Amino acid sequence: MGGQTTRPTLVMGILNVTPDSFSDGGRWTDVDAAVAQGLRLAADGAALVDVGGESTRPGAARVAPSEERERVIPVIEALTEAGVATSIDTMHADTAVAAVSAGASVVNDVSGGLADARMAPAVAELGCDYVAMHWRAHSHEMDAADVYEDIVREVGDELAARVDALTRAGVDESRVILDPGLGFAKVTDSNWPLLADLDWARGHRVLIGASRKRFLGAAIAAVGGDGADPSAREHATTAVTTASALRGVWGVRVHDAAAARDAIAVVSALTNTSHRAR
Ligand code: PMM
């Protein structure tokens, strides 16, 4: 099984400094409000606060890299100053470089380097951890790219091709964390095999980003719950966190850090219990 690690699963808290993200869009566009939310996420157990300035929700419009940097850099600087570790959620190499200079320690690229050919050499130069997410197309066309015969094998092959490209550009393979890209070119049922079987990770560290996504809404609606409201998907998100932590993933990317921290604490207590029948 891929993604095994001996230390507890890390919580990556989501901080979208965007007007249009699907769950928290428009809430943290002001720098002070965004920084306050980043501090709250860290206090709630986020080991990393993932700062993003471009929404990737289905159908979202692209943002100019200069505007993206204006949104995220002041927030990363202030969180770094406050001692909070951050990652930068970007597909743009220039934004990644600026963010790491401002204090970010991880580059989180939902395109796995496909959206910007300069990303791989930039990350090689930065020498930082890099999340390569499985991605097939930009937001306006990604739902149509949900076409697979054997999704675990195909996602594994496509991520392995990204790892090859990254290492050819000089990235240290041990710095690469893989993410199946839940909800990206995976509309609903396609997501579950990637959570049930981590073989696609092929031994790399794994990040899972399921928080409040549509496929959880579909599962909730199927049993009569409120699947339409993203904020009503929190318990379902925590179930994915628990399952992921039991599988030993490196990290989970979530909106509610405290819920993930508590679920991971329970998994750690369960897996570390020393009780033996007498
Ligand atoms: N999902 C979103 C954005 N960035 N990054 C990684 N590594 N994995 C994800 O699943 C992911 C991501 C989209 O949703 P958001 O509105 O919650 O940020």
Side-chain angles (χ1 to χ4, degrees):
M1 186 165 63
Q4 288 289 358
T5 163
T6 49
R7 57 144 199 70
T9 297
L10 151 166
V11 178
M12 177 188 270
I14 300 171
L15 182 56
N16 286 317
V17 194
T18 56
D20 58 343
S21 288
F22 80 97
S23 177
D24 57 351
R27 292 188 66 190
W28 325 117
T29 42
D30 162 69
V31 173
D32 291 342
V35 172
Q37 174 62 4
L39 294 173
R40 212 157 26 234
L41 287 165
D44 283 350
L48 274 174
V49 172
D50 190 41
V51 183
E54 176 175 26
S55 172
T56 49
R57 77 179 158 75
R62 299 295 321 268
V63 172
S66 56
E67 186 179 341
E68 181 190 37
R69 284 196 294 280
E70 278 168 31
R71 291 177 182 178
V72 297
I73 300 301
V75 176
I76 291 172
E77 281 172 348
L79 289 175
T80 303
E81 179 77 27
V84 173
T86 56
S87 50
I88 172 66
D89 185 346
T90 186
M91 293 183 259
H92 297 120
D94 292 345
T95 302
V97 171
V100 172
S101 312
S105 46
V106 177
V107 173
N108 172 27
D109 178 359
V110 298
S111 83
L114 283 169
D116 185 344
R118 292 183 301 121
M119 184 62 96
V123 171
E125 178 80 24
L126 292 171
C128 60
D129 272 358
Y130 176 73
V131 178
M133 199 192 80
H134 179 258
W135 183 89
R136 282 185 164 179
H138 283 290
S139 298
H140 61 284
E141 53 194 12
M142 68 182 181
D143 283 358
D146 179 359
V147 183
Y148 304 90
E149 277 177 16
D150 176 346
I151 191 165
V152 173
R153 182 180 52 73
E154 285 165 74
V155 166
D157 287 350
E158 289 167 34
L159 284 173
R162 299 318 306 148
V163 173
D164 277 354
L166 288 157
T167 52
R168 266 186 276 116
V171 176
D172 176 349
E173 189 168 347
S174 71
R175 289 290 198 174
V176 180
I177 297 145
L178 297 182
D179 181 322
L182 302 174
F184 290 78
K186 295 143 203 115
V187 179
T188 48
D189 289 348
S190 302
N191 293 282
W192 296 110
L194 298 165
L195 283 171
D197 180 351
L198 299 185
D199 277 359
W200 52 265
R202 304 189 186 166
H204 290 87
R205 288 180 287 168
V206 168
L207 177 66
I208 295 291
S211 193
R212 303 182 182 172
K213 286 188 174 168
R214 289 174 294 172
F215 74 105
L216 299 180
I220 294 166
V223 291
D226 177 4
D229 174 5
S231 64
R233 301 172 186 161
E234 200 49 56
H235 299 304
T237 299
T238 305
V240 175
T241 295
T242 306
S244 301
L246 281 166
R247 288 178 165 78
V249 307
W250 173 80
V252 287
R253 182 181 178 278
V254 294
H255 296 89
D256 185 336
R261 174 200 62 199
D262 294 354
I264 292 162
V266 169
V267 170
S268 295
L270 276 171
T271 41
N272 293 329
T273 187
S274 55
H275 173 76
R276 295 279 178 277
R278 277 185 251 181

